[in-house]
Amino acid sequence: MSFVKFGFRWIAPLVLVSVVCAQTTPNAQTEIKNKEAIAAKAKCDKALKDAEDAYIKAQQAAYAEYVKALDKARMDAYKADNVAEVEALSKEKYRVQEEQKNLLSEDEKFVKLKSITGTVKATQAWTKVLDVKK
């Protein structure tokens, strides 16, 4: 499966869910109190998150497939004693691997970038410092 077909397969659902949920975003001045509407918004947010995660996984898989192809091409160029081609393929592999490193979900970015300090008093039964999400 080519990179374009593989990536596009996940882009369309992400765009569709984004458009649908964007239309349901409440006005900042209006507070929605209807439980069904709140549940629908939560469901929409979860669908968006799931679609984003699936898209990132699809990108990672496509990049991994591309890196394998680059490794094979590099080996072929090496066997053919084509130094310029080996160097060009090595640079491309490095570039792709750097792009792969940037493919983190928002949760992964949060975990890697977020640090919190707080004071917990021994005389208190419970002190909330941070909400932890799965």
Side-chain angles (χ1 to χ4, degrees):
M1 184 177 290
S2 73
F3 174 74
V4 174
K5 286 182 183 176
F6 195 73
F8 184 74
R9 186 171 146 204
W10 292 99
I11 292 173
L14 180 62
V15 171
L16 178 62
V17 172
S18 297
V19 170
V20 170
C21 290
Q23 293 172 350
T24 63
T25 302
N27 185 331
Q29 299 167 347
T30 306
E31 184 178 336
I32 295 178
K33 296 179 182 171
N34 180 287
K35 290 181 182 180
E36 290 176 14
I38 292 169
K41 176 67 170 122
K43 186 176 179 180
C44 179
D45 290 344
K46 183 178 180 338
L48 273 174
K49 176 74 175 96
D50 292 346
E52 181 183 359
D53 289 345
Y55 176 66
I56 290 169
K57 286 178 184 175
Q59 284 181 307
Q60 289 170 335
Y63 277 129
E65 185 179 320
Y66 185 39
V67 167
K68 274 187 188 179
L70 288 172
D71 283 339
K72 184 183 179 319
R74 280 180 29 192
M75 186 57 70
D76 293 344
Y78 179 77
K79 288 177 184 176
D81 202 27
N82 187 344
V83 177
E85 183 72 4
V86 170
E87 187 175 309
L89 289 164
S90 295
K91 285 181 183 177
E92 176 64 3
K93 180 181 176 182
Y94 177 76
R95 185 193 67 76
V96 170
Q97 287 174 328
E98 287 300 309
E99 283 185 25
Q100 271 184 301
K101 289 178 188 176
N102 294 326
L103 292 177
L104 298 176
S105 70
E106 288 303 313
D107 287 344
E108 291 170 325
K109 288 178 185 175
F110 178 79
V111 169
K112 293 184 186 273
L113 300 176
K114 183 81 174 177
S115 66
I116 275 198
T117 58
T119 304
V120 178
K121 296 181 181 178
T123 57
Q124 289 181 325
W126 181 255
T127 302
K128 182 178 178 181
V129 177
L130 171 68
D131 287 328
V132 179
K133 295 181 180 178
K134 182 177 177 183

